[in-house]
Amino acid sequence: SDETLLHRFRGLASMDWITIDEDDLLVPSPPAAAHLSAMPKKTPLNLVSIFGSARQGKSFLMNRLAGGKGCGFKVSNKSDPCTVGIDLCAETKSLDEFSEGAVSNENQINIGFVDAEGQGDRDTSYDARVACPILLASQCVLFNWKDSLQKDR
């Protein structure tokens, strides 16, 4: 069922959004597509996404950034990755709620949170294929990188 595609963590829910199948094709999950299609058409959705090395706290950071109880992105202190492909928070926040009233929200903008699989565990082609659609769709991209971005490292 579609309910099995939701990730429940601490009572909150996130969902698979995009994965790469055995034929190396990007596959959107039907529940995420239905979730996004059900959103009000005249309400802009600005996505905040995060990228970076595997097992460096991206899901934790996104849960904290979302405020309150977070988004339900799974976190763990073990060496196994928590996110495979791209996950989408099951709930959005209004810009007013997200900014705690510090920003005018005349256009009724909603904020959505996106968590990406960590880069570096697989080949660079896989990493690029997973990242590109979300980089194009996001209004804000966070890079959680603990090392230098220099090419020689």
Side-chain angles (χ1 to χ4, degrees):
S1 80
D2 289 348
E3 181 67 19
T4 61
L5 296 175
L6 286 176
H7 308 287
R8 299 240 176 245
F9 186 70
R10 295 187 178 166
L12 302 164
S14 62
M15 64 186 77
D16 290 341
W17 184 8
I18 298 173
T19 57
I20 294 184
D21 69 8
E22 61 276 350
D23 296 323
D24 207 30
L25 299 173
L26 293 171
V27 179
S29 76
H35 174 69
L36 291 169
S37 294
M39 291 185 175
K41 304 296 182 232
K42 294 187 179 195
T43 304
L45 176 64
N46 288 355
L47 296 177
V48 177
S49 60
I50 191 164
F51 294 90
S53 296
R55 290 173 297 286
Q56 296 296 311
K58 294 176 302 302
S59 300
F60 175 81
L61 182 59
M62 286 305 281
N63 281 330
R64 298 300 301 163
L65 182 65
K69 295 181 181 178
C71 283
F73 293 127
K74 185 179 175 189
V75 297
S76 172
N77 62 356
K78 298 183 177 161
S79 63
D80 295 329
C82 294
T83 307
V84 176
I86 302 292
D87 288 352
L88 177 67
C89 186
E91 295 185 25
T92 61
K93 290 189 169 208
S94 73
L95 183 59
D96 284 337
E97 184 181 6
F98 179 66
S99 69
E100 298 177 348
V103 176
S104 171
N105 193 17
E106 295 173 7
N107 296 328
Q108 299 301 310
I109 295 170
N110 282 331
I111 307 296
F113 300 92
V114 179
D115 187 22
E117 178 176 351
Q119 287 74 53
D121 271 355
R122 305 186 196 207
D123 63 57
T124 56
S125 174
Y126 176 88
D127 291 346
R129 290 185 51 131
V130 167
C132 281
I134 303 310
L135 287 170
L136 292 171
S138 297
Q139 282 68 29
C140 179
V141 178
L142 304 173
F143 288 95
N144 185 33
W145 210 267
K146 294 184 177 183
D147 197 5
S148 170
L149 292 177
Q150 295 175 350
K151 191 174 186 177
D152 62 346
R153 293 200 178 212

